Amino acid sequence: MLNKNIYTFIGFDSEYEDSQIVVFGAPFDGTTSFRPGTRFAPAVMRNESYGLETYSPYLDKDLTDIKVYDAGDLEFPFGNTKKVLDMIEEFAKSVLNDGKIPVMIGGEHLVTLPSVKAVYEKYKDIYVLHFDAHTDLREDYMGEKLSHATVIRRVWELLGDDRIYQFGIRSGEREEFEWAKRHTNLTKFTYKGLEDVVNKLKGKKVYVTIDLDILDPSVFPGTGTPEPGGILFNDMMNIIGILKNLDIVGADIVELSPHYDNSGVSTAVACKILRELVLAISKN
Amino acid sequence: MLNKNIYTFIGFDSEYEDSQIVVFGAPFDGTTSFRPGTRFAPAVMRNESYGLETYSPYLDKDLTDIKVYDAGDLEFPFGNTKKVLDMIEEFAKSVLNDGKIPVMIGGEHLVTLPSVKAVYEKYKDIYVLHFDAHTDLREDYMGEKLSHATVIRRVWELLGDDRIYQFGIRSGEREEFEWAKRHTNLTKFTYKGLEDVVNKLKGKKVYVTIDLDILDPSVFPGTGTPEPGGILFNDMMNIIGILKNLDIVGADIVELSPHYDNSGVSTAVACKILRELVLAISKN
Amino acid sequence: MLNKNIYTFIGFDSEYEDSQIVVFGAPFDGTTSFRPGTRFAPAVMRNESYGLETYSPYLDKDLTDIKVYDAGDLEFPFGNTKKVLDMIEEFAKSVLNDGKIPVMIGGEHLVTLPSVKAVYEKYKDIYVLHFDAHTDLREDYMGEKLSHATVIRRVWELLGDDRIYQFGIRSGEREEFEWAKRHTNLTKFTYKGLEDVVNKLKGKKVYVTIDLDILDPSVFPGTGTPEPGGILFNDMMNIIGILKNLDIVGADIVELSPHYDNSGVSTAVACKILRELVLAISKN
Amino acid sequence: MLNKNIYTFIGFDSEYEDSQIVVFGAPFDGTTSFRPGTRFAPAVMRNESYGLETYSPYLDKDLTDIKVYDAGDLEFPFGNTKKVLDMIEEFAKSVLNDGKIPVMIGGEHLVTLPSVKAVYEKYKDIYVLHFDAHTDLREDYMGEKLSHATVIRRVWELLGDDRIYQFGIRSGEREEFEWAKRHTNLTKFTYKGLEDVVNKLKGKKVYVTIDLDILDPSVFPGTGTPEPGGILFNDMMNIIGILKNLDIVGADIVELSPHYDNSGVSTAVACKILRELVLAISKN
Amino acid sequence: MLNKNIYTFIGFDSEYEDSQIVVFGAPFDGTTSFRPGTRFAPAVMRNESYGLETYSPYLDKDLTDIKVYDAGDLEFPFGNTKKVLDMIEEFAKSVLNDGKIPVMIGGEHLVTLPSVKAVYEKYKDIYVLHFDAHTDLREDYMGEKLSHATVIRRVWELLGDDRIYQFGIRSGEREEFEWAKRHTNLTKFTYKGLEDVVNKLKGKKVYVTIDLDILDPSVFPGTGTPEPGGILFNDMMNIIGILKNLDIVGADIVELSPHYDNSGVSTAVACKILRELVLAISKN
Amino acid sequence: MLNKNIYTFIGFDSEYEDSQIVVFGAPFDGTTSFRPGTRFAPAVMRNESYGLETYSPYLDKDLTDIKVYDAGDLEFPFGNTKKVLDMIEEFAKSVLNDGKIPVMIGGEHLVTLPSVKAVYEKYKDIYVLHFDAHTDLREDYMGEKLSHATVIRRVWELLGDDRIYQFGIRSGEREEFEWAKRHTNLTKFTYKGLEDVVNKLKGKKVYVTIDLDILDPSVFPGTGTPEPGGILFNDMMNIIGILKNLDIVGADIVELSPHYDNSGVSTAVACKILRELVLAISKN
């Protein structure tokens, strides 16, 4: 009791030096167009993670068996998008330089860009698996190049064609769907074909970005732009069960917006997905 | 900026003269027995429609390709059921007289009665497709003939036997289910058989009424009388995909109650269904 | 109007003497670890039951055909777990002594222990069917033997091995899952195999305990510890359809927490399940 | 426990025959123009009254010292304003005929009209004290004569000039304020002058109608049309302290709308005012 | 009905050309540090203004007597603070150039800066009356010069010493309070002395900025950073009663955050203050 | 960033050894009779304290000038009242033994008992200042001696007559008010006379217990049993301004229930009161 109050996500309580995975919060929602508030996600998830068990009956693995460090949240200046992205990139690089795997909790989806950049700098031959309701492929959004609605387009500018696999997509402009046919591998509505992709990418370095709004709003109402027609929670468990065969070198889950999560259920969903994702990434 | 603030559902921004479809709000909830508030639905849907894209990846059609006019809401006197129904009938008639298709946003389900009346006056050989959790077939409700709980019975009095197809029904009095066996075509719980019905009705004039509480409350909590056990959002997308082969001459979606929609998800669901319904009705 | 205001769950309005089934509330949540408030469940369910029909299209049975007495809520002292459990046991015994079937509305899951005790005292050869997201098999919880997290372990101490069938379980400590392999029949995630169990138990006396958090939080957010990944409402209808072939001599449904049920949907779900359960238990 | 579940407001548990005061609910909100839901008020107040003590430190009186009967709620048909008003009038008359004082819980303010009518029929020389944020003096509202916005105008048609005293009024059309100058005694914003009025009315029969939105929305947010600038709770305690010197032969409190009372505080306020009002009316 | 749906704040329905006052929304919350969401304020206020009367019993004036144009909301790019401020400045200038008075609805407080700039460009000899809970006088906030927490400091850089009067201030860093002693006229907690200031400024051009969080959170919970200890609604009515003697050439009200206004009361408060402010500014 | 995530109330970040004051959470609500949930208060207050400044313009003191240690929350077993009280007493004793002042964040009011016990053991000549809406003087509550409704009676058993001063009391049984006349100094409704009491107690050791429900529910809705008619926030600031002249050797603030604090305002109120209380207690 007389040590200071240490505060981490449940089970992410190892020392930095010993850890294989470093979880950190990127509480940024500065380009959110519809309903802001994803900035509160990492802190709320830490709080509510104590409703979770450390053991996963899905993967039959326990957080107590692995080493994860929770670095807390980055502290951002408000209203300066550019500076925020730089801070994320820098932090992710330092984690990667120490030979660890960064797992980021957003914040809005734009935070994925600097995180992928940091990973890309280390591993040029990288693939991105993108789970989302939205294409996120606009050239710009109301004149802005850096936006949650353009983030995967920006990632594509970095990686080029045939590096990005998109699943669950059910909303976007017609032009984005057309563009995707030429530059990414986009699967509408579902995660059909994921197993084939994973087989193909075995042995490759992979970055996984999960926009939680891929889930149906019945399962996950607490997000900025709820899109009816999404996948269910057990689909996500299946997805992670498939992903565990990959060599994941960076990952994020984004777009939980706790103030739209009146019942607390979306936070519980996000916490369980994070537990499963971290267990799936960990090697032993 | 210096034009007055025009305010429509997203993409329903054509001029009246040019439009094939006329959308209007009927914000009436005067006979609601359990939880009132559907009166707020049309205005809230206009507001929240800006979280929606105009493009449908389900139908591969875009609202920008068609002509829809949003006439705003009818202004009703409170506490006078009869006068309200007359106003709706009169408005729907004027739309029909101008050769356009009326699509009404409720309000409670009783608003369907005058809308069907207006359509029936023009097209006597009309069929009604009714999607709902409730039978709505009572002879009266606490002594009242005009009620959300009696509306389809009143429609039947107009159209007679074998004109009404009911889907998704999972709540009502035993007597209503018995009565339906003799006078309507009622399918319990699901939309099984819809495809056959649609094939049979090809070439006929059809009115479609969607009580959104046909959806499971997990998908659509924001309604007056939530009935667990309903269909899912993707079922509704399937239904509309089937309906698009019909000659729909009038339609409505009713029973969104925004004040019970804390997360905003029900409104998002209603908006997307309206977009799809209008795209499915439009001819080109 | 000039009789005093009698207040029961819809359709549970017979006299005690005439009734086959006695429903009562056990508004206790004293060991709840995460989010308290199940104490409000029975009263809120009575209030909201008036949104329900008495007729079940699932079972084609009507509450008006059977005799059920609603005894109201037991009145508990706050902060004294032991005394509360004694009061429940005593009340359940008196119901059983009068040749009736007790059906209890929790409250948290610990209330199941005294209810099973009362039934066990009358029928030694009893089996327990346990529907839940959680194992509830801990030896103790933060040093306490009597807890919602230990309740099925305590029941096992009473009944011994091979008497308890658990379905839908998706959360617990690794040790609990291991322990269950030796002492209970635990089915992870689903209710697969229920039909076989029911066939095996035909003719036996059975106690059914339904922790409503077996349902997915999309269906049932209003509970203390929401666990994503659960069964759907129609699964529960199927389960009750199977259970109706058993000789059920006691039952409970627990863990509705109305203050986390902003939309009222969880309460509607609980009410409908109670209607179905009581109809399934009743003999005629 | 084995008596049926009797359900009254706390302390209103005497038999009808013995009671001096009869409390009843009039759950009608059919003409509400802004936010409906006052229909839920009487039931919610009964539920929440158990957070209240029976003893008033303001009046140093206890509900256990007096005889009050809670008749429950009248059951209304939905959508038929006329029939509802008739039912209220008839019930209030029967109470008055039995020599008792009716105290009504609304519902919206229109329910005051039939209640005053019943009292007026018995005591022609009646005065009305009206506490409200709104004038309620329109000739009609959107064409309707019977409306929450016209109710005091209708009462005036019954009683004539100089019979109505209005306090706390802070919202209305300019014309209503002008009209009031000629026909009622209207005090803007406060209850200044109430003591003089009460002195003048000593020995007269008085009807008291309290629209709870006279309270500032900080104190009482749970109402259909919140009007900032109102009186505080302790002002209301002072008002009732003054009123207790009158010969009150009928009363009501209206316009609690529980679904806009997220914190439960408005309901607590309404319950305490009802307790105080009933204690002030009772004679011993 | 067949005109397009025009949508304005109640009573602000004159044509631009005829109007003395132009109201517009600045839905920006990009630098909000605690709880974002003021971007929703202008649209929600328009919606809810229909619960308001056009007549003010405080000022005995009616919106129907004056000419106000509601220009709708400016459309901002997300995540680009600089561009947003430029758009506001440009719009305010165009209004001023047309000889009209701009009244802006925020958004967060930073939007005041470009609005004051536009006014200052036209009237160099301008004074600012600042009503707020917070000093807003930081040199920078987490490294950013443009922030809701620095906005009055930026205004001071434009206007210099002795031009700014601050009232109601009850939160800030010690250094800000010290700095204010040398550069502004800061009144802690209350609006004491306002009458003297107004007398001194008679005949001068004045800009009024009202951060609604000057109100106590009991009155106005719906704001990003609620600060207990504020003034009451009737204080604000008094303030506006005093201000009406000034020559106000520009004004704003900021920091309503509707998603934290569960009861709708804060929005009602904001709407009434806007009505009063506009009535007080208007000359006839 | 690479230190572990330390998590304290804002400004309470000194080391234990250096601190004059030790703040700790007692998240217990096991005897709460109406609405549970005060267990969440200390954690939520830590989270939300970051909306607060460290500087108090009321006391012109800054948390950065003093030394306070935040010890986090005690971890309690659920359902065992006795053990919880022992843990609190033991912790408070250890703080007192180290020559520091314990300041406890409840939890429900019963937690005051062990805290006073610990202080009493060290300083026998202790006085208790009790700020509350409720008498808390029952001999027992539904048969239980240890209850939030009996806590001051239990404290009296320890200290005897004329040691307890109660302010703001406005709810209780008649018998409690009678009893108080003989054994404590009880002031109804207000804090009138506090200054005299403080003058009398100068130089004495004093324990201060603040049940936040002394505040009016308009100011502080987020509590288990809201009691209309309370004091305002500025009254509380005055109270603390008076208390700062005392030699306070222990203190607590209790009964914030965050799940009933939808707007977050109650938490903001509690945080500011805690800041002021700690500043008032600190000596320099």
Side-chain angles (χ1 to χ4, degrees), chain C residues 29-37 39-40 75-81 83 141-144 259-260, chain F residues 29-37 39-40 75-81 83 141-144 259-260:
Chain C
D29 55 12
T31 80
T32 302
S33 49
F34 200 50
R35 309 192 303 188
R39 67 177 69 177
F40 304 111
E75 283 188 45
F76 296 142
F78 296 99
N80 189 326
T81 301
K83 211 185 287 182
Y141 188 68
M142 300 183 75
E144 295 303 307
H259 291 197
Y260 299 99
Chain F
D29 56 10
T31 81
T32 301
S33 49
F34 200 51
R35 311 192 302 188
R39 69 177 69 176
F40 304 111
E75 283 188 47
F76 295 142
F78 295 100
N80 189 327
T81 301
K83 210 186 288 183
Y141 188 68
M142 301 185 74
E144 295 303 306
H259 291 197
Y260 299 99

Side-chain angles (χ1 to χ4, degrees), chain E residues 183-209:
Chain E
H183 302 291
T184 74
N185 299 273
L186 184 154
T187 300
K188 280 204 298 192
F189 305 128
T190 70
Y191 62 101
K192 220 180 296 176
L194 176 63
E195 230 155 346
D196 293 346
V197 170
V198 165
N199 284 333
K200 220 170 65 184
L201 297 186
K202 225 163 257 174
K204 304 285 187 186
K205 305 295 185 197
V206 174
Y207 186 97
V208 172
T209 177

Side-chain angles (χ1 to χ4, degrees), chain F:
Chain F
M1 190 48 47
L2 300 188
N3 293 317
K4 278 203 182 165
N5 199 30
I6 300 292
Y7 182 59
T8 71
F9 194 91
I10 197 170
F12 296 176
D13 45 12
S14 297
E15 299 302 313
Y16 182 77
E17 289 68 30
D18 307 336
S19 295
Q20 186 182 42
I21 294 170
V22 173
V23 174
F24 68 102
F28 174 73
D29 56 10
T31 81
T32 301
S33 49
F34 200 51
R35 311 192 302 188
T38 58
R39 69 177 69 176
F40 304 111
V44 171
M45 284 175 68
R46 275 189 204 95
N47 263 337
E48 300 303 310
S49 69
Y50 289 82
L52 206 66
E53 302 284 347
T54 56
Y55 172 68
S56 162
Y58 299 94
L59 300 171
D60 191 20
K61 272 176 102 169
D62 201 303
L63 289 176
T64 57
D65 303 335
I66 66 174
K67 302 279 187 202
V68 185
Y69 177 80
D70 181 348
D73 285 3
L74 300 178
E75 283 188 47
F76 295 142
F78 295 100
N80 189 327
T81 301
K82 186 67 180 48
K83 210 186 288 183
V84 165
L85 301 190
D86 289 349
M87 288 174 69
I88 295 170
E89 189 176 344
E90 182 183 16
F91 182 77
K93 272 182 191 165
S94 75
V95 170
L96 288 157
N97 285 346
D98 292 340
K100 300 168 193 311
I101 302 167
V103 175
M104 177 174 59
I105 308 173
E108 59 153 83
H109 211 162
L110 181 56
V111 297
T112 297
L113 178 58
S115 179
V116 169
K117 265 192 189 161
V119 170
Y120 174 72
E121 183 142 319
K122 179 160 183 184
Y123 307 107
K124 294 289 168 183
D125 186 29
I126 189 91
Y127 290 81
V128 169
L129 295 190
H130 171 221
F131 299 89
D132 201 335
H134 304 93
T135 50
D136 290 357
L137 292 171
R138 302 196 188 195
E139 175 51 30
D140 66 89
Y141 188 68
M142 301 185 74
E144 295 303 306
K145 291 274 185 177
L146 295 175
S147 163
H148 67 103
T150 67
V151 58
I152 301 302
R153 183 72 169 258
R154 291 295 91 77
V155 167
W156 169 86
E157 291 173 355
L158 204 65
L159 305 187
D161 285 353
D162 300 324
R163 289 281 166 171
I164 299 170
Y165 293 85
Q166 302 183 283
F167 294 96
I169 310 300
R170 60 190 182 276
S171 185
E173 298 189 313
R174 183 184 269 160
E175 293 66 31
E176 295 178 88
F177 284 94
E178 294 304 319
W179 189 92
K181 286 178 187 162
R182 299 188 305 275
H183 302 291
T184 74
N185 299 274
L186 183 154
T187 301
K188 280 204 296 193
F189 306 128
T190 68
Y191 63 101
K192 220 181 293 179
L194 176 63
E195 229 153 348
D196 293 347
V197 170
V198 165
N199 283 332
K200 219 169 66 184
L201 297 186
K202 225 162 255 175
K204 304 284 187 187
K205 305 295 185 197
V206 174
Y207 186 96
V208 172
T209 176
I210 299 176
D211 185 327
L212 290 160
D213 67 20
I214 189 176
L215 291 160
D216 193 73
S218 61
V219 175
F220 193 78
T223 192
T225 313
E227 288 290 346
I231 68 173
L232 301 183
F233 183 80
N234 285 334
D235 294 322
M236 186 52 80
M237 290 299 100
N238 292 341
I239 287 172
I240 293 178
I242 298 170
L243 295 182
K244 77 164 185 280
N245 301 309
L246 287 171
D247 183 13
I248 297 171
V249 295
D252 61 60
I253 67 173
V254 300
E255 296 286 357
L256 169 65
S257 193
H259 291 197
Y260 299 99
D261 179 32
N262 296 299
S263 63
V265 165
S266 307
T267 303
V269 163
C271 285
K272 207 174 247 189
I273 291 175
L274 180 58
R275 180 189 74 190
E276 297 293 311
L277 181 64
V278 162
L279 286 171
I281 292 175
S282 70
K283 278 107 188 164
N284 38 11

Side-chain angles (χ1 to χ4, degrees), chain B residues 170 189 213-217 227-232 235, chain C residues 58 233-234:
Chain B
R170 60 191 182 274
F189 307 128
D213 67 20
I214 190 177
L215 291 160
D216 193 72
E227 288 290 347
I231 68 173
L232 301 183
D235 294 323
Chain C
Y58 298 94
F233 183 80
N234 285 335

